[in-house]
Amino acid sequence: MNGPRVGYARCSTDEQDVIIQTEQLLVLGVADDRIYIDRGFSGTTRRNRAGLDQALAAVWNGSVFTVTKFDRFARNMAEANDILTDLSGLGASVYDWNDPFGRLFLQTLAMVAEFEANLGHMRTREGMALAKKNGKLKGKQPKLPEPARRSIRRRYAGGDVSLADLATEYSVGRSTIYRIIHGPENPR
């Protein structure tokens, strides 16, 4: 496993960053220009992950595909199996996908990653159900309070002001003003 390394890092939201993963990849011997990144993807699916696609495209015979944690590139068995099979076909080092012990090890990692993702989803659903039961989960709240919404409807109906003027005055988009004017009186 002495070939050139190709690194991949991922974070689930745009607010998170991949600094720690990037630093770890550099320590593992991945050149800065060979690190590919996806931001804002949960990892539960491979769709639309340009960074992963670029990293996989950069792998060739003798390369070493490198991630800091297994769940960075796959969180379910099926996609992990597809990616690892593709890498193996390219001649990249993936432990040894053709060796029964290497295959068992990587499948076990994929199984644990999928299990952790499923636990997280389950806990989220449980928490949301409890919040809803206790009246704390109310969905998306209106951007403007009801007094402002009434004022907007009254002023627009009177012909005093345009949609664009109201949007500028209240610092919201015109579509928000349109929904207030043409939507139900009390959205909740």
Side-chain angles (χ1 to χ4, degrees):
M1 287 203 227
N2 292 329
R5 293 180 177 269
V6 175
Y8 176 69
R10 179 190 59 78
C11 58
S12 299
T13 67
D14 290 329
E15 291 78 36
Q16 296 173 330
D17 71 45
V18 291
I19 292 173
I20 293 173
Q21 290 178 65
T22 303
E23 289 173 352
Q24 290 172 341
L25 288 169
L26 291 170
V27 168
L28 290 169
V30 180
D32 192 39
D33 64 336
R34 307 265 302 159
I35 296 175
Y36 299 89
I37 299 171
D38 276 322
R39 288 182 177 83
F41 292 96
S42 70
T44 55
T45 181
R46 185 175 171 184
R47 285 191 307 264
N48 301 321
R49 288 171 55 191
L52 179 59
D53 292 338
Q54 292 169 349
L56 295 174
V59 173
W60 49 274
N61 193 3
S63 297
V64 179
F65 183 73
T66 309
V67 291
T68 59
K69 294 180 183 163
F70 193 88
D71 70 345
R72 296 297 88 195
F73 84 97
R75 281 196 170 175
N76 66 58
M77 288 287 296
E79 289 192 351
N81 188 50
D82 290 344
I83 294 169
L84 293 169
T85 299
D86 290 348
L87 286 170
S88 179
L90 295 170
S93 296
V94 184
Y95 283 87
D96 183 358
W97 189 238
N98 297 315
D99 175 64
F101 292 106
R103 185 176 286 266
L104 172 66
F105 177 69
L106 291 168
Q107 287 175 332
T108 302
L109 287 176
M111 205 168 46
V112 170
E114 183 173 346
F115 174 69
E116 286 179 335
N118 289 338
L119 279 179
H121 295 303
M122 182 183 72
R123 289 181 189 128
T124 299
R125 284 190 303 274
E126 288 172 348
M128 290 175 71
L130 181 61
K132 187 174 185 178
K133 179 181 170 188
N134 293 332
K136 295 185 180 185
L137 184 66
K138 299 176 182 167
K140 186 175 180 182
Q141 300 301 307
K143 289 187 178 182
L144 297 172
E146 187 51 38
R149 298 166 69 83
R150 280 194 304 268
S151 175
I152 288 169
R153 283 190 287 272
R154 181 181 38 78
R155 291 175 60 203
Y156 186 78
D160 299 338
V161 66
S162 71
L163 280 171
D165 292 337
L166 288 166
T168 301
E169 180 180 337
Y170 286 94
S171 301
V172 295
R174 285 187 299 205
S175 61
T176 299
I177 300 298
Y178 184 86
R179 281 191 301 273
I180 291 170
I181 293 169
H182 298 288
E185 291 286 321
N186 292 316
R188 299 274 163 230

